[in-house]
Amino acid sequence: MSQLRAAAARGLRRSGGRAVPPAGQSRKGASRRGGTPAAAPAPPPAPHLFSHPAEIEALRGDLLAWYDKCKRDLPWRRLVRAGCGWRWCLCSDSRLLPAVWVSEIMLQQTQVATVIDYYNRWMQKWPTLQALAQASLEEVNELWAGLGYYSRGKRLQEAARKVVSELAGQMPRTAEDLQKLLPGVGRYTAGAIASISYGQATGVVDGNVIRVLCRLRCIGADSSSPAVLDHLWAMANALVDRSRPGDFNQALMELGATVCVPKAPLCGECPVKRHCRARHRKLFGKPTPVPDVEDCGVGGCPLCPPAAEPWDGSLGVTNFPRKAAKKQPRAEWTATCVLERRGCHGALEFLIVQRPSSGLLAGLWEFPSLPLAQDLPEEQQREVLADHLRAWTGQPVVAGNLQLIGEVVHIFSHIHQTYVVYSLPLDGDVTLDPALSPSRWVTEEEFHASAVSTAMKKVL
Ligand code: SF4
């Protein structure tokens, strides 16, 4: 019996399409006089639920049949499939251990097409958790370079070390333990590993699942709000197929990635279109009738679109999901200097320095850089950069010798970063203060093989 239906069945009566609490309880909760505990929150209105077991069964069947036929052939799926009965089995092949975990971490914020090459190289280099636990952060950063969100790789390796050194090589096997014990494993990743690898009947909610569920049940309130996310997690947990949870979760995500896509969903080809209230509304212009409970009514529903932004017929199913306007990334400026010299074999070499081990782009290598105040005139930029390089190299640096090359813009998730790029050719070697950041000279080829960010590759 689904949690959602159970919640709907709790002692609540309805009036005028709105849920109201039982007699004796205020709308906000039970009376606390006499130590009576607060009432459980009212369940979501029925139009946003899967209330009928038969419908849940039908949706599971439709989705899994489609997935069996249409799923993409992805390297991490091949490895899982080759294992013990489609499950991730530690006893039969320790290579299966990191397969789901690594792919799930890499796929966060990153497209499948980009991840495949990184995943293949990673698994070739560190096929087991034991191998990963022995890797250095430098090696991890080198392989991760260009994939973005670098803390993911770092924490993956930290977690592997923890499993090997503190958990006797035994992976936690439930979503709760995975989330509790492993750094970098959040609710989504824990659910994905536990369901795909260990067969735990637990749901997952990622961006694709949010989109599909919001459309299936016409959820138009801000999908990033805690209340809506709680509802989506409850729905995902209620829907997940009990005998094939991993496949069900992957199918839901696959549907969001390939059919129920953000801008032009392929509703005509959708395996769950008969369950989709957004599509029904697009075709018939009103919510699907719900036979045994009332609609949520107009206004006041925590899951419907806000009254100020009602259904827009021109958008069709893409009315859902909705998100609050994204905060604009803050603007930052950085002066960065490409110091060049001719190496002993005549090849051009560049000086790179290592960033601190925490914070943005932790431990990655970059050209010597320093933050700039907004709108600092070019002349003053040269002066501050020359001062910085002087202190750093212990050599005289003439501001006028710094050649302004141009600007490179790179968008991080929360920062609109403008690199103001200078170059400075040097004769001979530069002895750097060993008390400062680690540094080294690299050829262009070595630069690209180093743990450098995409932003620095753009700078070069
Ligand atoms: Fe998404 Fe359309 Fe399928 Fe509904 S019918 S789940 S909107 S693709």
Side-chain angles (χ1 to χ4, degrees):
M1 184 64 229
S2 83
Q3 295 167 24
L4 297 177
R5 184 139 190 241
R10 274 197 297 269
L12 288 152
R13 55 194 174 82
R14 288 177 178 273
S15 173
R18 305 253 180 97
V20 295
Q25 291 180 10
S26 74
R27 194 171 281 279
K28 285 188 175 169
S31 160
R32 291 170 189 251
R33 265 178 286 163
T36 311
H48 304 299
L49 294 172
F50 283 88
S51 302
H52 300 281
E55 188 184 19
I56 293 176
E57 277 307 314
L59 181 133
R60 289 171 179 163
D62 291 344
L63 190 58
L64 284 168
W66 168 80
Y67 182 68
D68 288 343
K69 207 167 120 204
C70 302
K71 66 176 172 283
R72 291 170 291 179
D73 181 23
L74 300 173
W76 43 92
R77 288 185 183 154
R78 267 175 245 152
L79 198 52
V80 172
R81 202 180 311 149
C84 179
W86 293 76
R87 295 273 176 82
W88 181 0
C89 176
L90 301 185
C91 61
S92 65
D93 188 346
S94 59
R95 286 176 309 146
L96 299 179
L97 184 65
V100 175
W101 189 4
V102 171
S103 60
E104 288 299 338
I105 297 279
M106 285 185 171
L107 286 166
Q108 291 166 17
Q109 319 278 351
T110 313
Q111 302 276 336
V112 166
T114 308
V115 164
I116 289 174
D117 174 53
Y118 283 90
Y119 170 85
N120 285 335
R121 285 189 290 121
W122 182 288
M123 294 300 287
Q124 206 168 12
K125 196 168 171 96
W126 300 300
T128 64
L129 272 190
Q130 284 69 19
L132 177 57
Q134 284 165 13
S136 68
L137 178 59
E138 180 73 13
E139 289 175 294
V140 168
N141 278 338
E142 277 174 13
L143 201 147
W144 205 275
L147 197 56
Y149 298 91
Y150 292 87
S151 62
R152 294 180 298 173
K154 184 176 176 220
R155 295 175 87 184
L156 189 51
Q157 190 233 18
E158 285 169 2
R161 284 192 174 166
K162 183 168 181 184
V163 171
V164 170
S165 63
E166 294 177 31
L167 306 176
Q170 298 298 309
M171 274 289 280
R173 287 178 173 244
T174 64
E176 297 72 24
D177 285 349
L178 284 158
Q179 193 178 348
K180 193 167 64 187
L181 295 174
L182 299 185
V185 173
R187 192 174 182 184
Y188 162 76
T189 311
I193 295 174
S195 61
I196 299 169
S197 308
Y198 300 123
Q200 185 184 356
T202 185
V204 295
V205 173
D206 72 345
N208 285 320
V209 173
I210 288 174
R211 186 165 55 256
V212 174
L213 294 183
C214 284
R215 288 175 179 170
L216 285 174
R217 281 300 173 262
C218 286
I219 296 170
D222 176 6
S223 64
S224 61
S225 73
V228 173
L229 285 172
D230 279 352
H231 177 67
L232 295 173
W233 274 101
M235 199 189 292
N237 282 326
L239 291 178
V240 66
D241 188 272
R242 272 40 187 170
S243 57
R244 295 179 61 191
D247 285 344
F248 180 87
N249 285 336
Q250 292 187 85
L252 204 52
M253 293 188 274
E254 184 92 341
L255 186 74
T258 60
V259 177
C260 194
V261 292
K263 290 203 175 126
L266 309 169
C267 296
E269 300 168 24
C270 177
V272 296
K273 57 179 181 259
R274 67 181 169 128
H275 311 283
C276 181
R277 291 197 171 145
R279 183 165 187 266
H280 192 283
R281 177 149 191 193
K282 179 186 161 198
L283 296 178
F284 303 108
K286 59 180 181 181
T288 310
V290 180
D292 61 347
V293 282
E294 300 87 343
D295 291 345
C296 50
V298 180
C301 170
L303 297 173
C304 277
E309 298 166 41
W311 168 270
D312 177 346
S314 68
L315 295 178
V317 299
T318 63
N319 271 282
F320 310 105
R322 296 187 192 187
K323 260 192 183 173
K326 228 179 169 183
K327 217 171 132 190
Q328 285 298 311
R330 68 175 186 271
E332 289 188 1
W333 283 263
T334 294
T336 189
C337 185
V338 182
L339 291 163
E340 304 172 1
R341 72 171 190 187
R342 288 280 160 197
C344 49
H345 300 298
L348 198 56
E349 292 182 340
F350 309 101
L351 189 74
I352 55 174
V353 298
Q354 193 170 28
R355 290 180 62 85
S357 58
S358 59
L360 183 70
L361 306 174
L364 265 64
W365 294 79
E366 64 181 11
F367 298 114
S369 303
L370 84 162
L372 287 177
Q374 187 178 354
D375 299 330
L376 193 70
E378 186 185 324
E379 209 166 304
Q380 288 177 40
Q381 285 181 14
R382 286 174 195 280
E383 288 297 339
V384 292
L385 187 55
D387 280 350
H388 177 70
L389 294 172
R390 213 173 288 137
W392 195 63
T393 61
Q395 293 197 353
V397 174
V398 179
N401 289 348
L402 288 165
Q403 191 189 348
L404 177 63
I405 304 295
E407 291 185 352
V408 168
V409 172
H410 189 78
I411 313 288
F412 295 97
S413 56
H414 56 300
I415 300 172
H416 183 285
Q417 178 67 259
T418 303
Y419 293 96
V420 185
V421 183
Y422 289 86
S423 96
L424 182 65
L426 293 174
D427 294 325
D429 203 356
V430 174
T431 308
L432 300 164
D433 184 345
L436 298 172
S437 321
S439 59
R440 63 179 201 251
W441 287 98
V442 289
T443 62
E444 186 170 351
E445 195 182 338
E446 289 163 344
F447 173 86
H448 284 289
S450 300
V452 291
S453 65
T454 303
M456 282 300 122
K457 287 182 181 169
K458 285 191 198 170
V459 166
L460 186 63

